[in-house]
Every structure is written in structure tokens, then in C-alpha cells.
Amino acid sequence: MKSIIVYYSYGGNTKRIAEAIHTKKGYDMVEIKPVVPYTNDYQKLVDEEEGKMHQEEVVEIEPINVDLNSYDRVILGTPVWWYTMTPPVRAFLTKYDLSGKVIIPFTTNGGWLGSTLDDIKKYAPNSSIEEAISIKFNEDVLAISENELNSWIIKL
Ligand SMILES: Cc1cc2nc3c(=O)[nH]c(=O)nc-3n(C[C@H](O)[C@H](O)[C@H](O)COP(=O)(O)O)c2cc1C
């Protein structure tokens, strides 16, 4: 099974987990980048997104610079925004067909996952979703044990 890590990160938490997987497992890694970057003002982002997320905000993302056809598994990282995946990750699932592949989601969040995993399933109906992990942060401090995180990574 050939695996690739694909993630979006606004503030760095999800990037940190993606990099930990990359370092421990050596899997290829790509970052999803919105064409128009989000505001640097965190509070403004939180306020603006509350309304937009309810309308399933559509954003454009930069093309992914790898041939996803050559991978069997996508380890997919997203922060949770307003109880679901971030719009750039939804854009990735809309733009790229992951039919027949395994998706292993990892979500970083403040403890409120909402419908994130169900929504990922909805946007990747022909993929098999496995072994998801929810990684809680208190702001930028990891709030699950390093052991729990590492043992999940090792099993990947
Ligand atoms: C716009 C916005 C909405 C958020 N909504 C949620 C939420 O619904 N539930 C939750 O647990 N955390 C929520 N958070 C917190 C983030 O999921 C958490 O800080 C995450 O680790 C950030 O990842 P990043 O640093 O990779 O961007 C939200 C953060 C932002 C910026």
C-alpha cells in the first residue's frame, strides 16, 4: 500500500501532526493551499466562518502537485471549523476523485468534532474511511498524550 499525507492547516497544529507522520513513516506529503489565503486575524476568521460554513463555503485550491493515482491510501488532515472539515479540504475531496482508495482522516480540534467524519464520508462516497483519529489541542498545545498520538502514527 502506497500512502500519501494530504493536509490543510491554518494555524500550524495540523501541519505539526502531518510532519510527525511524515518523519516517522516517511510517506510523501502535500499541503492543500487555498488560492486566496484566509485573513491573518484569527478572531475575524472565526467570526466570518461561522456564517459561511453553514452555507458549505466553496473555496478554490491550488492544484496538488502529485499524481494521486499512484497512491492507495490518503492520510487526510484537517482542522475542525464550525463542527466540520475546513473548506479547503472539502474542495480537495470535490476536486480529486479518491474512489477505491482508503482514506484515514486525522482532525485537529478544540474538542468539538461535530459531523466532521460523516461529512468526509459524504464527500468521498466511494472511498473506504478507516482508523480516524481526533487530536485535541488547547490553542497550540497538544491535549492528548504523546503516547496515544505516537501509537496511532506507528500503526499507520
Ligand atoms: C474558524 C474556526 C472554527 C473552529 N471551529 C471549531 C469547532 O467547531 N470545533 C473545535 O473543536 N475546534 C474548532 N476550532 C479550533 C481548531 O479546530 C483547532 O484550533 C485546530 O487544531 C486548528 O488547526 P490548525 O492550527 O492546523 O489550523 C476552530 C478554529 C477556527 C479558526
Side-chain angles (χ1 to χ4, degrees):
M1 274 241 175
K2 199 170 169 208
S3 304
I4 184 164
I5 306 155
V6 180
Y7 73 96
Y8 169 71
S9 183
Y10 171 78
N13 291 347
T14 314
K15 186 186 189 91
R16 174 176 152 195
I17 305 298
E19 284 175 346
I21 302 167
H22 174 67
T23 303
K24 287 205 166 64
K25 304 298 287 193
Y27 299 150
D28 295 344
M29 177 168 74
V30 289
E31 182 173 1
I32 300 169
K33 293 191 180 135
V35 171
V36 181
Y38 284 101
T39 172
N40 285 327
D41 181 335
Y42 185 86
Q43 198 49 53
K44 193 168 168 224
L45 176 73
V46 171
D47 295 343
E48 281 179 359
E49 288 308 306
E50 182 171 17
K52 288 188 196 162
M53 295 296 287
H54 291 307
Q55 298 154 22
E56 302 223 329
E57 175 192 4
V58 176
V59 298
E60 225 183 297
I61 55 169
E62 304 278 359
I64 297 290
N65 258 345
V66 292
D67 178 10
L68 289 167
N69 288 327
S70 61
Y71 297 91
D72 316 289
R73 276 203 320 179
V74 176
I75 300 167
L76 182 65
T78 182
V80 174
W81 279 8
W82 292 108
Y83 312 108
T84 187
M85 75 186 108
T86 46
V89 171
R90 194 164 52 231
F92 168 76
L93 291 177
T94 307
K95 189 167 176 178
Y96 296 97
D97 182 8
L98 303 182
S99 294
K101 297 186 195 302
V102 171
I103 299 177
I104 303 182
F106 65 97
T107 65
T108 73
N109 58 82
W112 292 275
L113 214 55
S115 59
T116 306
L117 293 175
D118 284 343
D119 293 342
I120 290 174
K121 283 181 194 148
K122 195 170 95 188
Y123 278 85
N126 301 314
S127 306
S128 118
I129 316 285
E130 290 178 7
E131 300 168 60
I133 187 174
S134 159
I135 304 155
K136 192 179 171 209
F137 278 85
N138 291 325
E139 300 194 347
D140 59 355
V141 179
L142 186 66
I144 67 166
S145 76
E146 291 278 351
N147 268 355
E148 188 184 341
L149 177 61
N150 287 336
S151 63
W152 177 77
I153 293 177
I154 287 161
K155 277 191 268 153
L156 280 173

